[in-house]
Amino acid sequence: SGGAGSACEGGGGDLIGGCDMYSNMLCVDGTCTEAQFSSTEGAECGANGVLCEGDVVCPITTSGATTQCTQPKVVGEACVLREGTTITATACVTSAFCDFETSQCVAKKADGESCSGDNQCQSGNCDEDSETCAQEGVGAAEPSWRGCD
């Protein structure tokens, strides 16, 4: 299901809409359509079935409108724009994450710094117990009874 030509319900920032995203299928005008890829800054993307690749990213908007491929945002730049009821989110560079409280890109945190999600950590792992960034599977947060010597 979710293959090319199947009916789907996308919109409101949902580009997948039940289509098979593992086959690069996006929901365009109620039909699963194979995504086109563009690495050109300024190319229209999103609801028209175009995904950005290379150095550019496609902002996602809750209005379901197309946006333009753009450079990812750097630390200190706004990654979330709110206009009325419409929210547009643009990905940050890989060394940063989007802080939804400030709507700005923030540098990813080093091990030992507090976090609330894996995407906030340089290691890609936010330990749930200690709520700090940590290398996966290491660190003092692991209970002694779980360890094997």
Side-chain angles (χ1 to χ4, degrees), residues 49-67:
V50 176
L51 296 175
C52 307
E53 65 178 355
D55 296 332
V56 291
V57 296
C58 189
I60 293 179
T61 175
T62 55
S63 72
T66 55
T67 53

Side-chain angles (χ1 to χ4, degrees), residues 103-117:
S103 299
Q104 290 188 334
C105 293
V106 178
K108 287 191 177 177
K109 301 175 178 188
D111 289 354
E113 292 189 68
S114 67
C115 56
S116 59

Side-chain angles (χ1 to χ4, degrees), residues 18-125:
C19 300
D20 182 2
M21 64 181 180
Y22 300 108
S23 302
N24 293 327
M25 292 294 163
L26 299 176
C27 191
V28 181
D29 295 330
T31 306
C32 292
T33 308
E34 187 165 359
Q36 306 296 309
F37 292 90
S38 174
S39 54
T40 308
E41 195 167 347
E44 293 220 323
C45 63
N48 60 352
V50 176
L51 296 175
C52 307
E53 65 178 355
D55 296 332
V56 291
V57 296
C58 189
I60 293 179
T61 175
T62 55
S63 72
T66 55
T67 53
Q68 280 81 39
C69 293
T70 184
Q71 292 292 322
K73 301 296 184 182
V74 298
V75 170
E77 281 189 312
C79 45
V80 176
L81 296 173
R82 292 176 175 85
E83 296 172 44
T85 57
T86 301
I87 298 171
T88 302
T90 305
C92 300
V93 292
T94 53
S95 60
F97 69 95
C98 190
D99 182 339
F100 290 106
E101 287 181 26
T102 64
S103 299
Q104 290 188 334
C105 293
V106 178
K108 287 191 177 177
K109 301 175 178 188
D111 289 354
E113 292 189 68
S114 67
C115 56
S116 59
D118 291 345
N119 67 316
Q120 297 180 0
C121 301
Q122 292 168 2
S123 64
N125 181 55

Side-chain angles (χ1 to χ4, degrees), residues 13 30 66 117 129 131:
T66 55
D129 297 329
E131 292 187 354

Side-chain angles (χ1 to χ4, degrees), residues 111 118 121 123-128 132-139 142:
D111 289 354
D118 291 345
C121 301
S123 64
N125 181 55
C126 180
D127 183 82
E128 289 174 19
T132 56
C133 293
Q135 294 294 325
E136 201 139 15
V138 298
E142 194 159 312

